[in-house]
Amino acid sequence: MSLTSAPIVTERDYRTAEKHFWHPMTSAAPDPDRPTLIIVSGDGNYVTDIEGNRLLDGVGGLWNVNVGHNRPEVKAAITAQMDTLSYYQTFDGVAHPGVYDLSDRLVALFAQEDAKRVAFSSNGSDAIETAIKLARQYWIAAGEPGRIRFLSLRNSYHGVHVGGTSIGGIPAYHYNHGPLLDDVTLLDAPWLYRNPWDTSDPEELTDRLIRQLEERILAHGPQTIAAFFAEPVLGAGGVIVPPDGYWRRVRDVLDRYGILMIADEVVTGFGRTGNMLGSRGWGVAADIMAFAKGITAGYIPLAATVFNSRVADAIESGPGFSNVVMHGYTYSGHPLGAAAALAVLDIVEAEDLPGNAARVGAVLQQELKALEHYDLVGETRGKGLMAAVDLVADKATREPIDPGSGVAARISAEARRHGVVVRAAGTKLIISPPLTLTADEARTIVGSIDAALTALA
Ligand SMILES: Cc1ncc(COP(=O)(O)O)c(C=O)c1O
């Protein structure tokens, strides 16, 4: 496929400009071999780079542009809000209509989860920090202040604030920022492809993980444990899809010891896995859920942490100071974010984007499987419209490629020459397109990776 058209002319030539910013999650040392992909515009499932190439957005911005780029309905809602009230705060009993409407909408949408209250913030890391702090507050209000420990999973990603970094299970995020929170216990991830027992039997893996969970709870003492924290499908850690019964069995164990379940739905919320909620897809209801990304599809930053009746009631009736929410941000419930979220949720529901993610996701996952004949591809996996291609140095041992080898970046650069953006993340390629993707576009994404792998071979 030939895509090249004329470079987009801007007043400044950004292609040669020095960068006075750091890219997140990237070596701060300049890398002349890795040219910057500069995106200048977006429409629907496509973006256009500064060279004038129109590219299918296989990354959906950053797992977030779920309704596609530049939707007039969302822009109209934001500008209408901007014309009325561009900002007001929500501290100390002050509000604006948007926070009423959006919190009503979320509580209704998650009635099945017994959702009762919402705390707003600006991004996923905030939503997670809010969950961590309010989970501890719940236990103070409930009269068990000794419950301070969090259980979480290896390979999990919960944002970059100190609490979220501490409960996250990807070591690279820990190296430069210690010491982190002490009261965290990491459990093994529900990962069939790589696990300490080398089992690829879902039942056996689940049994072992559940045994490990219960052993750790008993070793620390249930009276010290606040909550279990996890992503319904682990995203940044490599799109790890747990075995079917895993979450339900975790919920049973947590219930036995009174431990809260917190679902990090930052990526999985609002349809990505083929269900409105990742946790709902596993047949469980979490006590606290963290949302960002898809809630506004990236149009304006906004995040929400949603609490069920158990947590909300305990905090609201907590003794003494324990019913005071000493947490929140200048931008908690930003009016522009609330307007964007309401317009995005209209689209998600009207166009049944969770249903589309399930249907088109099935095509995507099936087509990706065909790439497993390449020596470089250990496994492809995913659920709905989130997927990973796991790149290996040795197929038999499943040893990952050297993340510093640049192989993933080369595949991603080659895929772009075939008209598609896919994300190179260390030893994996990550795919998380808008949920408006068509089946033909899913095939185009896989075709571009196929062509890139052939070129590299
Ligand atoms: C599961 C999960 N939780 C939390 C976050 C943090 O979100 P943010 O980058 O908006 O702070 C992310 C970001 O990718 C995420 O994938």
Side-chain angles (χ1 to χ4, degrees):
M1 189 192 306
S2 171
L3 298 150
T4 316
S5 52
I8 307 285
V9 178
T10 48
E11 247 174 54
R12 189 176 170 204
D13 189 353
Y14 293 97
R15 294 173 302 169
T16 54
E18 188 183 347
K19 291 188 213 174
H20 289 111
F21 61 93
W22 280 326
H23 294 279
M25 321 313 181
T26 307
S27 169
D31 180 359
D33 293 335
R34 195 171 174 185
T36 311
L37 169 65
I38 303 174
I39 300 296
V40 293
S41 66
D43 63 293
N45 298 337
Y46 293 81
V47 288
T48 299
D49 72 13
I50 201 159
E51 303 295 345
N53 300 312
R54 190 161 180 265
L55 304 164
L56 179 55
D57 185 6
V59 191
L62 193 57
W63 329 77
N64 59 342
V65 185
N66 292 2
V67 301
H69 296 272
N70 236 337
R71 298 280 305 243
E73 310 92 306
V74 187
K75 290 193 294 184
I78 295 167
T79 45
Q81 181 61 50
M82 185 91 91
D83 286 341
T84 321
L85 175 73
S86 54
Y87 173 74
Y88 217 77
Q89 51 128 336
T90 57
F91 282 36
D92 308 317
V94 177
H96 56 83
V99 281
Y100 281 90
D101 293 342
L102 182 56
S103 55
D104 283 1
R105 183 80 175 259
L106 294 172
V107 165
L109 197 54
F110 305 135
Q112 195 179 319
E113 282 71 29
D114 190 27
K116 184 158 183 196
R117 296 283 184 251
V118 182
F120 288 113
S121 55
S122 303
N123 55 60
S125 301
D126 290 351
I128 292 297
E129 221 64 9
T130 303
I132 290 174
K133 289 174 70 180
L134 277 279
R136 284 193 168 168
Q137 180 168 351
Y138 163 80
W139 285 113
I140 292 171
E144 291 192 62
R147 287 200 186 243
I148 58 170
R149 177 170 291 277
F150 294 97
L151 307 174
S152 56
L153 300 180
R154 294 186 205 286
N155 299 90
S156 65
Y157 181 71
H158 298 295
V160 293
H161 295 343
V162 170
T165 302
S166 306
I167 62 169
I170 302 176
Y173 291 98
H174 296 175
Y175 296 141
N176 295 332
H177 309 292
L180 300 169
L181 293 188
D182 272 341
D183 301 295
V184 175
T185 296
L186 287 176
L187 305 166
D188 286 300
W191 192 5
L192 277 169
Y193 187 63
R194 290 192 187 94
N195 60 70
W197 306 282
D198 287 333
T199 178
S200 49
D201 174 16
E203 305 264 317
E204 184 192 342
L205 178 64
T206 308
D207 284 346
R208 287 184 182 277
L209 292 168
I210 294 300
R211 211 172 305 143
Q212 182 189 63
L213 169 66
E214 196 150 13
E215 277 167 12
R216 297 291 155 83
I217 291 171
L218 294 173
H220 290 292
Q223 73 285 357
T224 68
I225 299 179
F228 169 90
F229 236 108
E231 301 154 85
V233 173
L234 286 74
V239 189
I240 297 170
V241 185
D244 225 351
Y246 171 78
W247 272 79
R248 278 190 301 278
R249 289 187 59 193
V250 168
R251 179 86 251 191
D252 288 346
V253 174
L254 302 183
D255 286 347
R256 205 170 312 138
Y257 298 105
I259 298 165
L260 295 176
M261 173 181 270
I262 304 180
D264 179 344
E265 297 269 4
V266 167
V267 166
T268 52
F270 308 105
R272 183 155 296 283
T273 63
N275 210 295
M276 186 57 87
L277 292 174
S279 51
R280 200 180 276 180
W282 297 127
V284 295
D287 300 293
I288 302 178
M289 297 185 285
F291 298 99
K293 297 198 186 264
I295 194 169
T296 58
Y299 281 74
I300 298 272
L302 180 124
T305 308
V306 174
F307 303 87
N308 70 1
S309 298
R310 170 187 172 185
V311 178
D313 291 346
I315 290 177
E316 286 171 15
S317 62
F321 198 66
S322 71
N323 60 32
V324 183
V325 179
M326 290 302 290
H327 179 81
Y329 306 86
T330 301
Y331 298 128
S332 288
H334 197 294
L336 300 181
L342 287 162
V344 164
L345 295 181
D346 283 346
I347 296 174
V348 168
E349 293 192 292
E351 298 182 7
D352 183 22
L353 295 187
N356 193 58
R359 284 186 298 275
V360 177
V363 175
L364 176 73
Q365 308 295 345
Q366 191 193 352
E367 296 276 320
L368 281 170
K369 281 286 159 212
L371 303 180
E372 289 184 354
H373 71 84
Y374 286 101
D375 286 343
L376 249 181
V377 177
E379 185 189 52
T380 69
R381 55 176 175 264
K383 188 168 167 64
L385 285 174
M386 60 192 292
V389 178
D390 196 316
L391 302 168
V392 291
D394 183 328
K395 234 174 152 120
T397 62
R398 304 182 176 184
E399 183 197 333
I401 56 164
D402 170 6
S405 63
V407 168
R410 286 212 297 282
I411 297 172
S412 147
E414 186 62 29
R416 284 212 293 277
R417 275 190 277 280
H418 292 270
V420 177
V421 188
V422 295
R423 182 167 171 223
T427 62
K428 285 151 201 109
L429 303 172
I430 301 285
I431 300 146
S432 57
L435 307 187
T436 44
L437 199 79
T438 65
D440 278 347
E441 289 167 341
R443 291 187 193 99
T444 301
I445 292 175
V446 180
S448 75
I449 302 172
D450 197 354
L453 287 163
T454 301
L456 229 76

